[in-house]
Every structure is written in C-alpha cells, then in structure tokens.
Amino acid sequence: MKKRQHSEKYIKAVKNSVRLYKVILPCVFVGMLVLGLFVSLLLPLRPSFSENEKRELASFPSFSLSSLLDGSFFRGIDAWFSDTFPFREAMISANEKIENLRGFGDRIYGLNNEVVNNNIPPTGSKNEPATESTTEEKEPTVPDQLGEVVQKLSNVVVVGSAGYEYCSFNQSVADKYASVVNKTAQRLSGKAKVCSMLVPTSIDITMSDSVRKGKNITTCDQKAAMEYIYGKMSSSVTPINIYKAMRMHRDEYIYFRTDHHWTALGAYYAYEEFARVKNFSAITLDKFEKKSFGEFLGSFYTNTNSSAMKKNPDTLEAYMPPYKTKLQFTQPDGKVIDWYLVNDTSSYPVSQKYSAFTAADNPYTVIENLERQKGKTCVIIKESFANAVIPYIVYNYKKVYVIDYRYYKQGFISLAEKVKANDVIFINNMSAVRSDSLIDRMSAIAV
C-alpha cells in the first residue's frame, strides 16, 4: 500500500500548532492559578463566620516584632488564609456529600480528621481522685436506642434524631493543654488560684449503653482521658471533674440532640460541682425564671442535614439570672458593646439560638455582678461550651473577665495579674483539648 505523503506546508502547520499549544496550555494553567489567587485575596468575598461550625473564622493577625520573630505572625496569616478562603463553606459541604457517597468505611474520624485513639496511658495522678462528689448513687439509665436508625455521617453518628460527635484522644495535645494550665498556675502562684473544668461531650453521657456497645461505636473513653489530663496537672491546679455529675443526670435534657453543646440545665449541674469543689454557696435553680426561646437546629443538623433532626428540633431553654448584671463585650474590631448575660434569641435564626448565653463568642467580655458591693474577681479561659455555664458562675463573683482564646490577641496571664484575679478558670470541652490548632492558640497567649 502506498504511504500517504503530506505536503511541507501541512507539516509546517502541524508543527506550528504544536508549538502554539505548548505556549498556550502553560499560560492557561498559570492564568487559572493567578485568577484563583486573585479571587482568594478579594477581601469582600472572604467570610468571617462559619455557619456550619458556628464560630467566628480567623482574622488577619496584627503585626508585631515579637510575633514576626517567633513565627506566630506567619502562622496567623496561614490560619486566616485557609480559614476564610472564598466559598469555603460550599466546598466543605460539597466534599462532605462526596465523602458520604463513598460509604462509611472502617475508619472513624474525630475532629480535624484525627483517628480515634483509645490507648490512653494510665494517669499516675496526684490530682485525679479528689474532685468528684463522694455521694454513692446509682447512675440512671437512658432509654434503649437500639431500635433507632444509626447513621455515621462525617464526624457525627446519628441515632434516630440525635447526633453525637466521635471523640478521640491525642496524648501530645493533652500534655500541651496540661502544660498551659500548669504554666498559668506557676506564674500566678501566690496571686490567684487556677482550676480546670473539662466538659465531656454527649456521646459519653446521653448515648444509650446498648447503642454504644451494640453498634461498635469507636470513640475514646472520655473519663479515662480526663483523668489522664488532670493527672498531668500540677498539685497547684484544682481540677473540676464533672464527669460523674453529668452521668448522674444523663436521663435528663442536659445535651442538645441537634447540636454539640450542652443545654442550660446540663451547664447548671456542672456549676453545682464547681461550687462544691470551690466551697462556694451555689445558687439554686429554682431562683431562676425558665424561658423557652423556640426551636433550635444546631451544628449536628448543619453537618448532616438529617431529616430526622429537622422533624424533631431541639428547644433552646434558658434560665434568666435573678441578679442584676452589666455585660460588655469587645468585638474583633475593637468595638465595645453593652449586652445581656442571657439574651432572648426567640427571633434569631434556628441555627443561632445558642448565642443566647454570655453574648456568644467574643475575644473579650467583662461581666459585673451589680448585686455584690464587693467580692472576688475571676478570669475564665474558654471556648463556646463555657457560654452556658458562665451565667451561673457570675453569681459567686463581683467581676468576671471572659477570654475566648480562639480570638483574643493579648496575654491572659498578664490580664489576670492586672485585674488582681482571685481565680483563673479554664473551661473546655473534650473535643477542644484534642485539637492541636486550638491549644496552640491558647498556648500563644499564655503570657
């Protein structure tokens, strides 16, 4: 068969086309990268609040010579860039839907995709035993949930219409958290007493034992994890071990079903244990006026879009303090706003009802108990779980300074010295103290 011959003109045209493609394709690729970078730097497009995670996103760090030298300025830029990338929520949502289509698999992940770890070292603690009430009572049981549909979605297991977050243990982060608390106690020795309240999440408290065992729910033993962390704290730190107190009320409405937080009732039982350990007179719950702020669909619903949760929303109930208070919070932009210790959020969107407590999450909040002419001062180092318990703690102090270490940029130890605090209270849930990034933020301002 005669081989087909192409003209020199045709061959030249093909070669020119190949050369052109070699130039155009890299240019298109680079152009797309530049366009993506341009879009990512458009400040109006960068979100400041995560509806899915119910939190303020990282802000651009303020520059200082010390932050430049220790590297925290560039880490802050990195956190800001990744936390506030345009269309971040849509991309995360799309990724979760794709992950769900792949099936559940064998590996269960907790916060920040950390593999669940049940290998918690023995504590060897000098701090471990002394904080829980010694009253011997039989724990109540919760209704058997074995007949409920169980789904594993993202880092949440949904049992019927209730969500539970998997919990993992990270020993290095646990040690780091204990180290921050110890450092605070050492720096404030002779000036202020330091205590730490670790809050268990609902999977260890309100999930029925039958589901926990029968469905092979792979999550860490939070009681053992708490004892390990308390055991790493120095004898100058007072642990507020509320695990047993929460288990003794596990058949009550102490955690939300559609959200990862505890309810105002659950927070009150933690306050009772706090007051007992601190030898304070606890204000009784019957002194408060109970109010309902309507239906609430929280983070578990947002993360899973569970139809069962939507049909059975939570109710946001609050206990209005019987004492007069003055609250001022400072926004990230420095603006100071007068607010309420417990705010009526009846008219708020159903996803934002938890912001009823302590003005939600702000870098810096100052609360004054106007019923006390004089009294003690405390500084609270916290994340969002503390918001619901602070309205009770305020009763026992004249002045309360609240630091949300996720957004506060100054040093909280120096603040405690400046305001002559009698107590410094760390309040963090067990998911927070296994997050390396969160504890790094706390450690960075432990000055």
Side-chain angles (χ1 to χ4, degrees):
M1 184 177 178
K2 188 176 179 180
K3 187 175 181 181
R4 183 179 179 183
Q5 299 292 323
H6 293 291
S7 66
E8 289 186 9
K9 185 176 181 181
Y10 175 79
I11 294 173
K12 187 177 180 180
V14 171
K15 288 182 177 180
N16 287 339
S17 297
V18 171
R19 291 193 192 99
L20 189 61
Y21 278 118
K22 285 182 178 180
V23 173
I24 291 177
L25 289 179
C27 289
V28 170
F29 177 72
V30 172
M32 291 177 67
L33 289 179
V34 171
L35 179 62
L37 179 62
F38 175 73
V39 170
S40 72
L41 292 175
L42 289 177
L43 293 179
L45 291 179
R46 302 194 79 92
S48 59
F49 182 81
S50 170
E51 182 64 30
N52 284 347
E53 300 170 74
K54 303 295 181 294
R55 67 177 179 88
E56 296 289 336
L57 299 174
S59 57
F60 193 87
S62 56
F63 176 82
S64 68
L65 182 59
S66 60
S67 67
L68 178 66
L69 294 175
D70 65 16
S72 60
F73 178 70
F74 295 106
R75 289 195 298 271
I77 292 177
D78 181 61
W80 167 78
F81 191 87
S82 61
D83 220 19
T84 63
F85 196 88
F87 314 117
R88 172 182 180 271
E89 298 280 277
M91 287 187 284
I92 290 175
S93 178
N95 179 68
E96 287 180 350
K97 290 177 181 177
I98 292 171
E99 289 293 321
N100 290 338
L101 289 174
R102 292 171 55 195
F104 303 129
D106 297 323
R107 302 177 74 193
I108 305 303
Y109 291 86
L111 185 71
N112 299 331
N113 288 338
E114 295 169 358
V115 179
V116 170
N117 177 7
N118 287 316
N119 300 318
I120 301 171
T123 171
S125 167
K126 59 261 180 186
N127 243 348
E128 169 191 2
T131 60
E132 290 189 294
S133 172
T134 56
T135 304
E136 291 296 329
E137 296 180 64
K138 185 178 179 181
E139 280 186 3
T141 57
V142 297
D144 192 346
Q145 297 170 296
L146 269 181
E148 304 283 357
V149 174
V150 177
Q151 297 175 288
K152 299 170 185 176
L153 304 172
S154 185
N155 64 328
V156 178
V157 57
V158 180
V159 184
S161 61
Y164 303 89
E165 182 185 11
Y166 289 102
C167 186
S168 63
F169 177 75
N170 186 317
Q171 185 177 351
S172 64
V173 178
D175 290 345
K176 190 184 300 183
Y177 172 72
S179 177
V180 172
V181 179
N182 288 340
K183 174 185 176 181
T184 305
Q186 182 180 23
R187 279 276 306 274
L188 296 176
S189 178
K191 301 175 184 177
K193 296 178 180 178
V194 175
C195 59
S196 173
M197 178 190 292
L198 294 171
V199 182
T201 59
S202 61
I203 195 168
D204 262 40
I205 308 298
T206 56
M207 176 181 276
S208 73
D209 298 331
S210 55
V211 168
R212 181 74 178 260
K213 297 173 183 176
K215 294 294 182 179
N216 192 27
I217 304 298
T218 310
T219 184
C220 81
D221 181 344
Q222 292 187 53
K223 183 175 186 291
M226 291 167 69
E227 289 174 350
Y228 172 83
I229 297 172
Y230 285 140
K232 299 295 288 186
M233 293 178 183
S234 70
S235 57
S236 57
V237 176
T238 300
I240 311 296
N241 195 334
I242 65 171
Y243 188 89
K244 182 177 180 180
M246 302 309 291
R247 290 281 297 186
M248 293 305 298
H249 296 279
R250 64 192 299 246
D251 58 337
E252 300 176 47
Y253 189 39
I254 59 174
Y255 288 89
F256 294 112
R257 292 174 295 99
T258 71
D259 188 73
H260 63 288
H261 292 105
W262 52 8
T263 65
L265 179 61
Y268 177 78
Y269 292 134
Y271 161 72
E272 277 191 318
E273 185 64 14
F274 165 79
R276 188 191 69 79
V277 173
K278 293 290 291 179
N279 200 28
F280 289 160
S281 175
I283 185 170
T284 56
L285 201 57
D286 59 10
K287 298 290 196 302
F288 294 78
E289 180 187 2
K290 183 179 178 180
K291 285 192 174 182
S292 172
F293 296 156
E295 293 182 352
F296 173 44
L297 288 169
S299 59
F300 290 157
Y301 171 72
T302 303
N303 291 339
T304 64
N305 288 315
S306 166
S307 58
M309 289 186 191
K310 189 173 183 179
K311 293 176 183 177
N312 298 277
D314 281 300
T315 301
L316 197 295
E317 296 174 334
Y319 293 86
M320 309 304 290
Y323 35 88
K324 295 180 180 179
T325 60
K326 177 183 178 181
L327 183 150
Q328 289 186 320
F329 69 85
T330 303
Q331 295 183 146
D333 61 4
K335 186 177 181 181
V336 178
I337 296 177
D338 292 319
W339 207 247
Y340 309 94
L341 185 57
V342 178
N343 179 45
D344 188 340
T345 55
S346 299
S347 61
Y348 283 36
V350 291
S351 64
Q352 297 178 21
K353 295 292 180 75
Y354 186 74
S355 59
F357 308 111
T358 320
D361 296 327
N362 299 286
Y364 179 65
T365 304
V366 181
I367 308 164
E368 185 176 359
N369 185 341
L370 300 178
E371 301 287 321
R372 293 184 180 271
Q373 295 300 316
K374 58 182 179 178
K376 292 185 175 183
T377 296
C378 78
V379 174
I380 295 176
I381 317 300
K382 66 90 182 180
E383 40 78 27
S384 60
F385 254 78
N387 297 351
V389 73
I390 289 172
Y392 308 118
I393 292 176
V394 168
Y395 171 74
N396 296 104
Y397 292 92
K398 172 60 180 173
K399 212 157 190 181
V400 177
Y401 296 83
V402 182
I403 301 302
D404 194 318
Y405 58 87
R406 297 169 297 176
Y407 318 117
Y408 191 64
K409 304 299 183 184
Q410 310 301 317
F412 61 77
I413 297 178
S414 54
L415 172 68
E417 292 174 324
K418 179 181 177 181
V419 301
K420 295 181 171 56
N422 303 98
D423 295 316
V424 173
I425 310 166
F426 289 82
I427 306 177
N428 292 275
N429 80 86
M430 290 300 291
S431 282
V433 297
R434 62 191 171 96
S435 169
D436 202 20
S437 60
L438 288 182
I439 303 308
D440 273 346
R441 292 182 191 180
M442 180 189 293
S443 179
I445 62 169
V447 293

